[in-house]
């Protein structure tokens, strides 16, 4: 269920140009000093900041979040690098946390993508810092590496994190296909034979070198993994492959970790199984 909503993430070329024009002189000065790497298309060039690579618009949002975002005591952060199964994990967490408000027949997940229902730290907080938690749901998603998170989030004093990693080869292939579709959409192309500016082989080399969105990938994983060793009560580290192998087990584990364990009655009604079904492909 890791089919990110391309339409929601699409960055219009003219919009990017406007963003660059409106960027503060401080940010422009910073950008001019950063290492730059050509992205998979003209409007996705990457800039290295604090050891990681970001597209222009994302870097500006991350810096804004670092400077302005304040974590709340009960926040639960769903963290991952892109294309590691994060959409599926968001759906599972949302269904678990909101089961007191919705049943499986009227869940908002039936009509909305998880990206719409769960705010993003880097996408939403710079735009709506006071409104992003208006739904009174403690979930917040992010792709930001641990060391680049706002300090109030890093502390893990009264918040929790769930991190999902995935086998690097599968992550790259999923990311590659996503960026290919993204480029076709940006160029207004319906012909899927349109070539990217960077070939598959070049993309693989860049990924291996760590020059990918929110990369290096292994550094991204390592940052959260180390924190899970130091504070296992605050950071739950999951592997996509294990989640797919025994989803029901991890649904129960997620519920327990988020402070929403299933009651005996809910277990008797088969609610964990119904959540797995709701969040699975085809509902079967």
């Amino acid at each position: 269920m890791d089919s990110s909503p391309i339409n929601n993430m699409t960055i219009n070329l003219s919009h990017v140009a406007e963003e660059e024009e409106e960027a503060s002189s401080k940010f422009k000065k910073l950008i001019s000093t950063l290492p730059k790497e050509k992205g998979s298309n003209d409007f996705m060039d990457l800039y290295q900041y604090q050891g990681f690579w970001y597209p222009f618009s994302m870097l500006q949002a991350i810096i804004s979040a670092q400077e302005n975002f304040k974590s709340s005591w009960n926040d639960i952060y769903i963290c991952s690098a892109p294309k590691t199964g994060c959409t599926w994990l968001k759906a599972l967490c949302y269904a678990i946390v909101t089961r007191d408000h919705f049943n499986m027949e009227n869940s908002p997940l039936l009509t909305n993508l998880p990206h719409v229902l769960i705010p993003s730290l880097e996408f939403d907080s710079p735009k709506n810092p006071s409104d992003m938690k208006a739904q009174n749901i403690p979930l917040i998603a992010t792709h930001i590496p641990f060391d680049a998170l706002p300090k109030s989030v890093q502390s893990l004093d009264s918040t929790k994190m769930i991190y999902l990693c995935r086998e690097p080869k599968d992550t790259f292939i999923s990311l590659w296909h996503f960026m290919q579709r993204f480029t076709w959409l940006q160029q207004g192309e319906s012909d899927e034979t349109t070539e990217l500016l960077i070939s598959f082989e070049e993309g693989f080399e860049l990924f291996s070198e760590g020059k990918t969105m929110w990369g290096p990938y292994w550094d991204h994983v390592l940052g959260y993994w180390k924190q899970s060793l130091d504070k296992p009560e605050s950071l739950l580290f999951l592997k996509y492959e294990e989640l797919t192998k025994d989803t029901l087990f991890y649904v129960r584990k997620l519920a327990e970790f988020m402070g929403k364990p299933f009651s005996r009655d809910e277990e008797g009604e088969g609610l964990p199984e119904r959540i797995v079904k709701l969040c699975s492909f085809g509902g079967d």
Side-chain angles (χ1 to χ4, degrees):
M1 192 173 174
D2 192 32
S3 54
S4 299
I6 298 178
N7 288 336
N8 288 349
M9 294 185 65
T10 298
I11 304 171
N12 185 277
L13 287 174
S14 61
H15 180 59
V16 172
E18 290 174 6
E19 283 184 339
E20 293 182 356
E21 286 298 319
E22 295 172 0
S24 66
S25 58
K26 177 182 176 182
F27 183 71
K28 285 184 177 180
K29 184 177 180 180
L30 171 64
I31 282 290
S32 68
T33 66
L34 298 179
K36 182 179 179 181
E37 186 69 42
K38 190 172 185 61
S40 58
N41 47 52
D42 285 331
F43 43 90
M44 290 296 283
D45 288 345
L46 302 176
Y47 296 85
Q48 189 181 42
Y49 179 69
Q50 296 178 342
F52 289 86
W53 294 89
Y54 308 99
F56 176 90
S57 59
M58 287 301 96
L59 177 55
Q60 192 168 9
I62 288 168
I63 292 175
S64 177
Q66 288 177 339
E67 294 176 348
N68 302 305
F69 183 80
K70 301 299 180 185
S71 185
S72 298
W73 69 272
N74 64 336
D75 286 343
I76 300 172
Y77 295 89
I78 303 172
C79 313
S80 67
K83 311 313 295 177
T84 56
C86 53
T87 304
W88 184 30
L89 179 60
K90 288 179 191 178
L92 291 171
C93 291
Y94 184 89
I96 292 168
V97 168
T98 63
R99 68 183 190 271
D100 293 337
H101 305 287
F102 310 105
N103 57 42
M104 299 303 103
E105 287 70 40
N106 68 357
S107 171
L109 286 168
L110 295 171
T111 54
N112 295 275
L113 289 166
H115 302 288
V116 176
L117 300 172
I118 299 176
S120 164
L121 180 56
E122 55 267 45
F123 284 95
D124 297 318
S125 66
K127 303 173 186 176
N128 306 296
S130 61
D131 297 337
M132 66 178 296
K133 303 176 187 178
Q135 299 181 66
N136 199 30
I137 294 172
L139 303 175
I140 300 173
T142 185
H143 288 317
I144 300 177
F146 185 87
D147 289 339
L149 289 168
K151 295 301 181 184
S152 64
V153 179
Q154 284 187 27
S155 66
L156 289 174
D157 290 335
S158 57
T159 61
K160 291 189 175 183
M161 289 184 184
I162 301 164
Y163 185 80
L164 183 64
C165 72
R166 187 180 186 182
E167 202 278 329
K169 173 177 60 65
D170 294 336
T171 299
F172 166 70
I173 292 173
S174 181
L175 179 63
W176 174 257
H177 286 294
F178 171 79
M179 290 309 303
Q180 195 163 15
R181 295 194 301 271
F182 185 90
T183 301
W184 294 330
L185 188 63
Q186 284 293 335
Q187 295 176 347
E189 298 283 351
S190 58
D191 182 4
E192 296 188 358
T193 62
T194 302
E195 293 185 2
L196 292 179
L197 298 178
I198 293 179
S199 68
F200 183 90
E201 291 75 14
E202 290 173 311
F204 178 76
E205 288 299 320
L206 290 173
F207 185 88
S208 300
E209 294 169 3
K211 297 174 181 177
T212 185
M213 293 189 299
W214 288 271
Y217 177 71
W218 276 119
D219 289 350
H220 198 293
V221 173
L222 190 60
Y224 283 93
W225 180 72
K226 287 181 177 178
Q227 290 300 316
S228 73
L229 297 181
D230 292 339
K231 297 183 178 180
E233 73 285 353
S234 299
L235 201 160
L236 178 62
F237 190 94
L238 301 177
K239 298 177 182 178
Y240 176 81
E241 292 75 19
E242 294 178 356
L243 184 60
T244 58
K245 186 176 181 179
D246 195 350
T247 308
L248 184 58
F249 170 82
Y250 283 102
V251 162
R252 292 190 173 105
K253 189 166 186 174
L254 284 165
E256 188 78 30
F257 180 77
M258 292 189 291
K260 297 279 290 183
F262 294 103
S263 67
R264 182 175 298 179
D265 287 343
E266 288 176 325
E267 288 283 358
E269 295 168 0
L271 188 55
E273 291 85 352
R274 292 167 64 196
I275 286 177
V276 172
K277 182 177 180 180
L278 172 69
C279 300
S280 299
F281 287 110
D284 294 323

